[in-house]
PDB file of all heavy atoms in Angstrom:
ATOM      1  N   ARG A 336     -13.969  87.178   4.312  1.00 98.00           N
ATOM      2  CA  ARG A 336     -14.123  88.528   4.811  1.00 98.00           C
ATOM      3  C   ARG A 336     -13.114  88.734   5.970  1.00 98.00           C
ATOM      4  O   ARG A 336     -13.196  87.994   6.963  1.00 98.00           O
ATOM      5  CB  ARG A 336     -15.586  88.812   5.440  1.00 98.00           C
ATOM      6  CG  ARG A 336     -16.603  88.594   4.307  1.00 98.00           C
ATOM      7  CD  ARG A 336     -18.058  88.825   4.835  1.00 98.00           C
ATOM      8  NE  ARG A 336     -19.005  88.429   3.846  1.00 98.00           N
ATOM      9  CZ  ARG A 336     -19.254  89.095   2.770  1.00 98.00           C
ATOM     10  NH1 ARG A 336     -18.649  90.235   2.531  1.00 98.00           N
ATOM     11  NH2 ARG A 336     -20.218  88.678   1.812  1.00 98.00           N
ATOM     12  N   TYR A 337     -12.179  89.617   5.755  1.00 98.00           N
ATOM     13  CA  TYR A 337     -11.025  89.869   6.731  1.00 98.00           C
ATOM     14  C   TYR A 337     -11.531  90.798   7.824  1.00 98.00           C
ATOM     15  O   TYR A 337     -12.413  91.623   7.583  1.00 98.00           O
ATOM     16  CB  TYR A 337      -9.862  90.427   5.881  1.00 98.00           C
ATOM     17  CG  TYR A 337      -9.227  89.409   5.023  1.00 98.00           C
ATOM     18  CD1 TYR A 337      -9.613  89.335   3.664  1.00 98.00           C
ATOM     19  CD2 TYR A 337      -8.215  88.613   5.443  1.00 98.00           C
ATOM     20  CE1 TYR A 337      -9.090  88.417   2.854  1.00 98.00           C
ATOM     21  CE2 TYR A 337      -7.565  87.707   4.579  1.00 98.00           C
ATOM     22  CZ  TYR A 337      -8.080  87.685   3.270  1.00 98.00           C
ATOM     23  OH  TYR A 337      -7.435  86.700   2.420  1.00 98.00           O
ATOM     24  N   ALA A 338     -10.839  90.694   8.884  1.00 98.00           N
ATOM     25  CA  ALA A 338     -11.029  91.605  10.065  1.00 98.00           C
ATOM     26  C   ALA A 338     -10.810  93.098   9.604  1.00 98.00           C
ATOM     27  O   ALA A 338     -11.470  93.977  10.260  1.00 98.00           O
ATOM     28  CB  ALA A 338     -10.205  91.214  11.191  1.00 98.00           C
ATOM     29  N   SER A 339      -9.903  93.308   8.650  1.00 97.00           N
ATOM     30  CA  SER A 339      -9.664  94.668   8.168  1.00 97.00           C
ATOM     31  C   SER A 339     -10.817  95.270   7.414  1.00 97.00           C
ATOM     32  O   SER A 339     -10.728  96.354   6.954  1.00 97.00           O
ATOM     33  CB  SER A 339      -8.422  94.620   7.294  1.00 97.00           C
ATOM     34  OG  SER A 339      -8.644  93.914   6.159  1.00 97.00           O
ATOM     35  N   LYS A 340     -11.845  94.482   7.095  1.00 97.00           N
ATOM     36  CA  LYS A 340     -13.002  94.809   6.218  1.00 97.00           C
ATOM     37  C   LYS A 340     -12.738  94.581   4.766  1.00 97.00           C
ATOM     38  O   LYS A 340     -13.589  94.841   3.989  1.00 97.00           O
ATOM     39  CB  LYS A 340     -13.502  96.203   6.469  1.00 97.00           C
ATOM     40  CG  LYS A 340     -13.872  96.449   7.934  1.00 97.00           C
ATOM     41  CD  LYS A 340     -14.929  95.605   8.428  1.00 97.00           C
ATOM     42  CE  LYS A 340     -15.335  95.975   9.914  1.00 97.00           C
ATOM     43  NZ  LYS A 340     -15.529  94.799  10.809  1.00 97.00           N
ATOM     44  N   ALA A 341     -11.485  94.089   4.457  1.00 98.00           N
ATOM     45  CA  ALA A 341     -11.263  93.627   3.047  1.00 98.00           C
ATOM     46  C   ALA A 341     -12.016  92.378   2.782  1.00 98.00           C
ATOM     47  O   ALA A 341     -12.309  91.621   3.710  1.00 98.00           O
ATOM     48  CB  ALA A 341      -9.752  93.475   2.789  1.00 98.00           C
ATOM     49  N   VAL A 342     -12.278  92.182   1.547  1.00 98.00           N
ATOM     50  CA  VAL A 342     -13.114  90.964   1.057  1.00 98.00           C
ATOM     51  C   VAL A 342     -12.546  90.412  -0.170  1.00 98.00           C
ATOM     52  O   VAL A 342     -12.202  91.129  -1.135  1.00 98.00           O
ATOM     53  CB  VAL A 342     -14.570  91.325   0.870  1.00 98.00           C
ATOM     54  CG1 VAL A 342     -15.432  90.112   0.364  1.00 98.00           C
ATOM     55  CG2 VAL A 342     -15.257  91.940   2.018  1.00 98.00           C
ATOM     56  N   TYR A 343     -12.422  89.055  -0.257  1.00 98.00           N
ATOM     57  CA  TYR A 343     -12.043  88.322  -1.465  1.00 98.00           C
ATOM     58  C   TYR A 343     -13.087  87.365  -1.830  1.00 98.00           C
ATOM     59  O   TYR A 343     -13.585  86.644  -0.962  1.00 98.00           O
ATOM     60  CB  TYR A 343     -10.722  87.584  -1.317  1.00 98.00           C
ATOM     61  CG  TYR A 343     -10.488  86.669  -2.579  1.00 98.00           C
ATOM     62  CD1 TYR A 343      -9.977  87.309  -3.773  1.00 98.00           C
ATOM     63  CD2 TYR A 343     -10.806  85.377  -2.597  1.00 98.00           C
ATOM     64  CE1 TYR A 343      -9.796  86.529  -4.887  1.00 98.00           C
ATOM     65  CE2 TYR A 343     -10.615  84.607  -3.764  1.00 98.00           C
ATOM     66  CZ  TYR A 343     -10.076  85.215  -4.948  1.00 98.00           C
ATOM     67  OH  TYR A 343      -9.886  84.474  -6.083  1.00 98.00           O
ATOM     68  N   GLU A 344     -13.663  87.541  -3.057  1.00 98.00           N
ATOM     69  CA  GLU A 344     -14.750  86.677  -3.608  1.00 98.00           C
ATOM     70  C   GLU A 344     -14.241  86.006  -4.858  1.00 98.00           C
ATOM     71  O   GLU A 344     -13.800  86.773  -5.742  1.00 98.00           O
ATOM     72  CB  GLU A 344     -15.955  87.501  -3.912  1.00 98.00           C
ATOM     73  CG  GLU A 344     -16.522  88.327  -2.745  1.00 98.00           C
ATOM     74  CD  GLU A 344     -17.683  89.261  -3.273  1.00 98.00           C
ATOM     75  OE1 GLU A 344     -18.807  88.764  -3.528  1.00 98.00           O
ATOM     76  OE2 GLU A 344     -17.372  90.437  -3.429  1.00 98.00           O
ATOM     77  N   GLY A 345     -14.176  84.710  -4.873  1.00 98.00           N
ATOM     78  CA  GLY A 345     -13.769  84.037  -6.028  1.00 98.00           C
ATOM     79  C   GLY A 345     -13.334  82.647  -5.881  1.00 98.00           C
ATOM     80  O   GLY A 345     -13.739  81.975  -4.994  1.00 98.00           O
ATOM     81  N   SER A 346     -12.426  82.339  -6.817  1.00 98.00           N
ATOM     82  CA  SER A 346     -11.826  80.909  -6.804  1.00 98.00           C
ATOM     83  C   SER A 346     -10.662  80.765  -5.888  1.00 98.00           C
ATOM     84  O   SER A 346      -9.860  81.631  -5.754  1.00 98.00           O
ATOM     85  CB  SER A 346     -11.369  80.664  -8.259  1.00 98.00           C
ATOM     86  OG  SER A 346     -12.075  79.695  -8.924  1.00 98.00           O
ATOM     87  N   TRP A 347     -10.740  79.566  -5.223  1.00 98.00           N
ATOM     88  CA  TRP A 347      -9.657  79.116  -4.328  1.00 98.00           C
ATOM     89  C   TRP A 347      -8.990  77.805  -4.823  1.00 98.00           C
ATOM     90  O   TRP A 347      -9.798  76.966  -5.253  1.00 98.00           O
ATOM     91  CB  TRP A 347     -10.237  78.996  -2.933  1.00 98.00           C
ATOM     92  CG  TRP A 347     -10.703  80.234  -2.255  1.00 98.00           C
ATOM     93  CD1 TRP A 347     -11.891  80.828  -2.443  1.00 98.00           C
ATOM     94  CD2 TRP A 347     -10.051  81.077  -1.367  1.00 98.00           C
ATOM     95  NE1 TRP A 347     -11.998  81.950  -1.696  1.00 98.00           N
ATOM     96  CE2 TRP A 347     -10.930  82.023  -0.978  1.00 98.00           C
ATOM     97  CE3 TRP A 347      -8.819  80.989  -0.726  1.00 98.00           C
ATOM     98  CZ2 TRP A 347     -10.594  83.039  -0.087  1.00 98.00           C
ATOM     99  CZ3 TRP A 347      -8.497  81.925   0.170  1.00 98.00           C
ATOM    100  CH2 TRP A 347      -9.277  82.940   0.544  1.00 98.00           C
ATOM    101  N   ALA A 348      -7.779  77.619  -4.441  1.00 98.00           N
ATOM    102  CA  ALA A 348      -7.141  76.305  -4.600  1.00 98.00           C
ATOM    103  C   ALA A 348      -6.175  76.154  -3.429  1.00 98.00           C
ATOM    104  O   ALA A 348      -5.193  76.918  -3.295  1.00 98.00           O
ATOM    105  CB  ALA A 348      -6.386  76.305  -5.937  1.00 98.00           C
ATOM    106  N   GLN A 349      -6.479  75.157  -2.602  1.00 97.00           N
ATOM    107  CA  GLN A 349      -5.573  74.890  -1.477  1.00 97.00           C
ATOM    108  C   GLN A 349      -5.196  76.103  -0.623  1.00 97.00           C
ATOM    109  O   GLN A 349      -4.100  76.413  -0.318  1.00 97.00           O
ATOM    110  CB  GLN A 349      -4.291  74.164  -1.934  1.00 97.00           C
ATOM    111  CG  GLN A 349      -4.511  72.844  -2.685  1.00 97.00           C
ATOM    112  CD  GLN A 349      -5.269  71.890  -1.765  1.00 97.00           C
ATOM    113  OE1 GLN A 349      -4.975  71.566  -0.648  1.00 97.00           O
ATOM    114  NE2 GLN A 349      -6.355  71.289  -2.279  1.00 97.00           N
ATOM    115  N   ASN A 350      -6.194  76.791  -0.250  1.00 98.00           N
ATOM    116  CA  ASN A 350      -6.090  78.050   0.647  1.00 98.00           C
ATOM    117  C   ASN A 350      -5.512  79.270  -0.098  1.00 98.00           C
ATOM    118  O   ASN A 350      -5.142  80.246   0.644  1.00 98.00           O
ATOM    119  CB  ASN A 350      -5.340  77.708   1.935  1.00 98.00           C
ATOM    120  CG  ASN A 350      -6.210  76.835   2.860  1.00 98.00           C
ATOM    121  OD1 ASN A 350      -7.359  76.793   2.922  1.00 98.00           O
ATOM    122  ND2 ASN A 350      -5.495  76.060   3.647  1.00 98.00           N
ATOM    123  N   GLU A 351      -5.422  79.242  -1.367  1.00 98.00           N
ATOM    124  CA  GLU A 351      -4.900  80.410  -2.085  1.00 98.00           C
ATOM    125  C   GLU A 351      -5.886  80.931  -3.104  1.00 98.00           C
ATOM    126  O   GLU A 351      -6.592  80.140  -3.678  1.00 98.00           O
ATOM    127  CB  GLU A 351      -3.548  80.092  -2.762  1.00 98.00           C
ATOM    128  CG  GLU A 351      -2.406  79.734  -1.818  1.00 98.00           C
ATOM    129  CD  GLU A 351      -1.091  79.566  -2.575  1.00 98.00           C
ATOM    130  OE1 GLU A 351      -1.190  79.143  -3.735  1.00 98.00           O
ATOM    131  OE2 GLU A 351      -0.042  79.726  -1.985  1.00 98.00           O
ATOM    132  N   TYR A 352      -5.803  82.318  -3.302  1.00 98.00           N
ATOM    133  CA  TYR A 352      -6.574  82.808  -4.490  1.00 98.00           C
ATOM    134  C   TYR A 352      -5.987  82.267  -5.721  1.00 98.00           C
ATOM    135  O   TYR A 352      -4.877  82.345  -5.947  1.00 98.00           O
ATOM    136  CB  TYR A 352      -6.419  84.389  -4.525  1.00 98.00           C
ATOM    137  CG  TYR A 352      -6.628  85.176  -3.270  1.00 98.00           C
ATOM    138  CD1 TYR A 352      -5.995  86.383  -3.152  1.00 98.00           C
ATOM    139  CD2 TYR A 352      -7.391  84.727  -2.202  1.00 98.00           C
ATOM    140  CE1 TYR A 352      -6.094  87.136  -2.026  1.00 98.00           C
ATOM    141  CE2 TYR A 352      -7.528  85.575  -1.097  1.00 98.00           C
ATOM    142  CZ  TYR A 352      -6.927  86.704  -1.010  1.00 98.00           C
ATOM    143  OH  TYR A 352      -6.987  87.494   0.136  1.00 98.00           O
ATOM    144  N   GLN A 353      -6.858  81.676  -6.550  1.00 98.00           N
ATOM    145  CA  GLN A 353      -6.482  80.998  -7.703  1.00 98.00           C
ATOM    146  C   GLN A 353      -7.499  81.042  -8.793  1.00 98.00           C
ATOM    147  O   GLN A 353      -8.684  80.459  -8.471  1.00 98.00           O
ATOM    148  CB  GLN A 353      -6.079  79.513  -7.396  1.00 98.00           C
ATOM    149  CG  GLN A 353      -5.439  78.790  -8.581  1.00 98.00           C
ATOM    150  CD  GLN A 353      -4.062  79.300  -8.920  1.00 98.00           C
ATOM    151  OE1 GLN A 353      -3.321  79.689  -8.099  1.00 98.00           O
ATOM    152  NE2 GLN A 353      -3.754  79.248 -10.155  1.00 98.00           N
ATOM    153  N   GLY A 354      -7.263  81.569  -9.921  1.00 98.00           N
ATOM    154  CA  GLY A 354      -8.303  81.674 -11.012  1.00 98.00           C
ATOM    155  C   GLY A 354      -8.995  83.007 -10.948  1.00 98.00           C
ATOM    156  O   GLY A 354      -8.300  84.012 -10.705  1.00 98.00           O
ATOM    157  N   GLU A 355     -10.210  83.123 -11.183  1.00 98.00           N
ATOM    158  CA  GLU A 355     -10.984  84.421 -11.290  1.00 98.00           C
ATOM    159  C   GLU A 355     -11.483  84.838  -9.930  1.00 98.00           C
ATOM    160  O   GLU A 355     -12.032  84.057  -9.183  1.00 98.00           O
ATOM    161  CB  GLU A 355     -12.079  84.397 -12.342  1.00 98.00           C
ATOM    162  CG  GLU A 355     -11.560  84.059 -13.740  1.00 98.00           C
ATOM    163  CD  GLU A 355     -10.708  85.221 -14.271  1.00 98.00           C
ATOM    164  OE1 GLU A 355     -11.042  86.443 -14.210  1.00 98.00           O
ATOM    165  OE2 GLU A 355      -9.605  84.880 -14.702  1.00 98.00           O
TER     166      GLU A 355
END
Side-chain angles (χ1 to χ4, degrees):
R336 298 179 190 289
Y337 291 89
S339 68
K340 306 298 182 220
V342 176
Y343 174 78
E344 302 171 78
S346 245
W347 294 81
Q349 299 300 313
N350 291 331
E351 292 186 334
Y352 311 154
Q353 185 71 34
E355 295 300 308

